[in-house]
Coordinates of all heavy atoms in Angstrom, one line a residue:
Q23 N 108.2 81.4 107.9 CA 107.3 80.3 108.2 C 107.5 79.9 109.6 O 108.6 79.5 110.0 CB 107.6 79.1 107.3 CG 106.7 77.9 107.5 CD 105.3 78.1 107.2 OE1 104.9 78.6 106.2 NE2 104.4 77.7 108.1
M24 N 106.4 80.0 110.4 CA 106.5 79.6 111.8 C 105.6 78.4 112.1 O 104.4 78.5 111.9 CB 106.0 80.8 112.6 CG 106.8 82.1 112.3 SD 106.3 83.5 113.3 CE 104.7 83.9 112.5
N25 N 106.2 77.4 112.6 CA 105.5 76.1 112.9 C 105.5 75.8 114.4 O 106.3 76.3 115.1 CB 106.1 75.0 112.1 CG 106.1 75.2 110.6 OD1 105.1 75.7 110.1 ND2 107.1 74.7 110.0
N26 N 104.5 75.0 114.8 CA 104.5 74.6 116.2 C 104.6 75.8 117.1 O 105.4 75.9 118.1 CB 105.6 73.6 116.5 CG 105.3 72.9 117.9 OD1 104.2 72.9 118.4 ND2 106.4 72.4 118.4
L27 N 103.8 76.8 116.9 CA 103.8 78.1 117.7 C 103.4 77.8 119.1 O 102.5 77.0 119.4 CB 102.9 79.1 117.0 CG 103.5 79.7 115.7 CD1 102.4 80.4 114.9 CD2 104.6 80.8 116.1
N28 N 103.9 78.6 120.0 CA 103.6 78.6 121.4 C 103.3 80.0 121.9 O 103.8 80.9 121.2 CB 104.6 77.8 122.2 CG 106.0 78.4 122.2 OD1 106.2 79.6 122.6 ND2 106.9 77.7 121.6
P29 N 102.7 80.1 123.0 CA 102.3 81.5 123.5 C 103.6 82.4 123.7 O 103.5 83.6 123.6 CB 101.7 81.2 124.9 CG 101.0 79.9 124.7 CD 102.0 79.1 123.8
E30 N 104.8 81.8 123.9 CA 106.0 82.6 124.1 C 106.4 83.3 122.8 O 107.3 84.1 122.8 CB 107.1 81.7 124.6 CG 107.0 81.4 126.1 CD 105.8 80.3 126.3 OE1 105.7 79.4 125.5 OE2 105.1 80.5 127.3
D31 N 105.8 82.8 121.7 CA 106.1 83.4 120.4 C 105.3 84.7 120.1 O 105.5 85.4 119.1 CB 105.9 82.4 119.2 CG 106.8 81.2 119.3 OD1 108.0 81.4 119.5 OD2 106.3 80.1 119.1
T32 N 104.4 85.0 121.0 CA 103.6 86.2 120.9 C 104.4 87.4 120.9 O 105.2 87.6 121.9 CB 102.5 86.3 122.0 OG1 101.6 85.2 121.9 CG2 101.7 87.6 122.0
A33 N 104.3 88.3 119.9 CA 105.2 89.4 119.7 C 104.8 90.2 118.5 O 104.0 89.8 117.7 CB 106.6 89.0 119.6
V34 N 105.3 91.4 118.4 CA 105.3 92.2 117.1 C 106.5 91.8 116.4 O 107.7 91.8 116.9 CB 105.3 93.7 117.4 CG1 105.3 94.4 116.0 CG2 104.1 94.1 118.2
Y35 N 106.4 91.3 115.2 CA 107.4 90.8 114.3 C 107.8 91.9 113.3 O 107.0 92.4 112.6 CB 107.0 89.5 113.6 CG 107.1 88.3 114.6 CD1 106.1 88.1 115.5 CD2 108.1 87.3 114.5 CE1 106.2 87.1 116.4 CE2 108.1 86.3 115.3 CZ 107.2 86.2 116.3 OH 107.2 85.1 117.2
Y36 N 109.1 92.1 113.2 CA 109.7 93.2 112.4 C 110.6 92.5 111.3 O 111.5 91.7 111.7 CB 110.5 94.2 113.1 CG 109.6 95.0 114.1 CD1 109.5 94.5 115.5 CD2 109.0 96.2 113.8 CE1 108.8 95.3 116.4 CE2 108.3 96.9 114.7 CZ 108.2 96.4 116.0 OH 107.5 97.1 117.0
C37 N 110.6 93.0 110.1 CA 111.6 92.6 109.1 C 112.6 93.7 109.0 O 112.2 94.9 109.3 CB 111.0 92.2 107.8 SG 110.2 93.6 106.9
A38 N 113.8 93.4 108.6 CA 114.8 94.4 108.5 C 115.8 94.0 107.4 O 115.9 92.9 107.0 CB 115.6 94.5 109.8
A39 N 116.4 95.1 106.8 CA 117.3 94.9 105.6 C 118.6 95.7 105.9 O 118.6 96.8 106.4 CB 116.6 95.4 104.4
A40 N 119.7 95.0 105.5 CA 121.0 95.6 105.7 C 121.7 95.7 104.3 O 121.8 94.7 103.6 CB 121.9 94.7 106.6
Y41 N 122.0 96.9 103.9 CA 122.6 97.1 102.6 C 124.0 96.5 102.5 O 124.8 96.6 103.4 CB 122.7 98.6 102.2 CG 123.2 98.9 100.9 CD1 122.4 98.7 99.7 CD2 124.6 99.3 100.7 CE1 123.0 98.9 98.5 CE2 125.1 99.5 99.4 CZ 124.3 99.3 98.3 OH 124.8 99.5 97.1
L42 N 124.3 95.8 101.4 CA 125.6 95.2 101.2 C 126.4 95.9 100.1 O 125.9 96.0 99.0 CB 125.4 93.7 100.8 CG 124.6 92.8 101.7 CD1 124.3 91.5 101.1 CD2 125.4 92.6 103.0
N43 N 127.6 96.4 100.6 CA 128.5 96.9 99.6 C 129.0 95.8 98.7 O 129.4 96.1 97.5 CB 129.6 97.7 100.3 CG 129.1 99.0 100.9 OD1 128.4 99.8 100.3 ND2 129.4 99.2 102.2
H44 N 129.2 94.6 99.2 CA 129.7 93.5 98.5 C 128.8 92.3 98.8 O 128.6 92.0 100.0 CB 131.1 93.2 98.8 CG 132.0 94.4 98.5 ND1 132.4 94.7 97.2 CD2 132.6 95.2 99.4 CE1 133.2 95.8 97.4 NE2 133.3 96.1 98.6
R45 N 128.3 91.6 97.8 CA 127.5 90.4 98.1 C 128.4 89.3 98.6 O 129.5 89.1 98.1 CB 126.8 90.0 96.8 CG 125.6 90.9 96.4 CD 125.0 90.5 95.1 NE 123.9 91.3 94.7 CZ 123.3 91.2 93.5 NH1 123.7 90.3 92.7 NH2 122.3 92.0 93.3
G46 N 127.9 88.6 99.6 CA 128.6 87.5 100.2 C 127.7 86.7 101.1 O 126.5 87.0 101.2
S47 N 128.2 85.7 101.7 CA 127.4 84.9 102.6 C 127.2 85.6 104.0 O 127.4 84.9 105.0 CB 128.0 83.5 102.8 OG 128.1 82.9 101.5
Y48 N 126.8 86.8 103.9 CA 126.7 87.6 105.2 C 125.3 87.5 105.7 O 124.3 87.6 104.9 CB 127.1 89.0 105.0 CG 128.3 89.3 104.2 CD1 128.4 90.0 103.1 CD2 129.6 88.7 104.7 CE1 129.6 90.2 102.4 CE2 130.7 89.0 104.1 CZ 130.8 89.7 102.9 OH 131.9 89.9 102.2
Y49 N 125.1 87.4 107.0 CA 123.9 87.6 107.6 C 124.1 88.2 109.0 O 125.3 88.1 109.5 CB 123.0 86.3 107.8 CG 123.8 85.2 108.5 CD1 124.0 85.2 109.8 CD2 124.3 84.1 107.7 CE1 124.7 84.1 110.4 CE2 125.0 83.1 108.3 CZ 125.2 83.1 109.7 OH 125.9 82.1 110.3
Y50 N 123.2 88.9 109.5 CA 123.4 89.7 110.7 C 122.4 89.4 111.8 O 121.2 89.3 111.5 CB 123.4 91.2 110.4 CG 124.3 91.6 109.3 CD1 123.9 91.8 108.0 CD2 125.7 91.7 109.6 CE1 124.8 92.2 107.0 CE2 126.6 92.1 108.6 CZ 126.2 92.3 107.3 OH 127.0 92.7 106.3
T51 N 122.9 89.3 113.0 CA 122.0 89.0 114.1 C 121.8 90.2 115.0 O 120.9 90.2 115.9 CB 122.5 87.9 115.0 OG1 123.8 88.2 115.5 CG2 122.7 86.6 114.1

């Protein structure tokens, strides 16, 4: 959800998924 958009937000947006061998509070940047 993208609010208060500005011209600098113009881009191609990609989603990505990382397989987890063990579930946990992991996220990746």
Side-chain angles (χ1 to χ4, degrees):
Q23 175 68 47
M24 302 181 289
N25 300 322
N26 193 22
L27 285 159
N28 60 63
E30 289 69 40
D31 295 317
T32 294
V34 178
Y35 283 73
Y36 298 91
C37 65
Y41 182 75
L42 300 173
N43 289 310
H44 303 283
R45 291 176 178 173
S47 301
Y48 310 122
Y49 51 77
Y50 302 103
T51 62

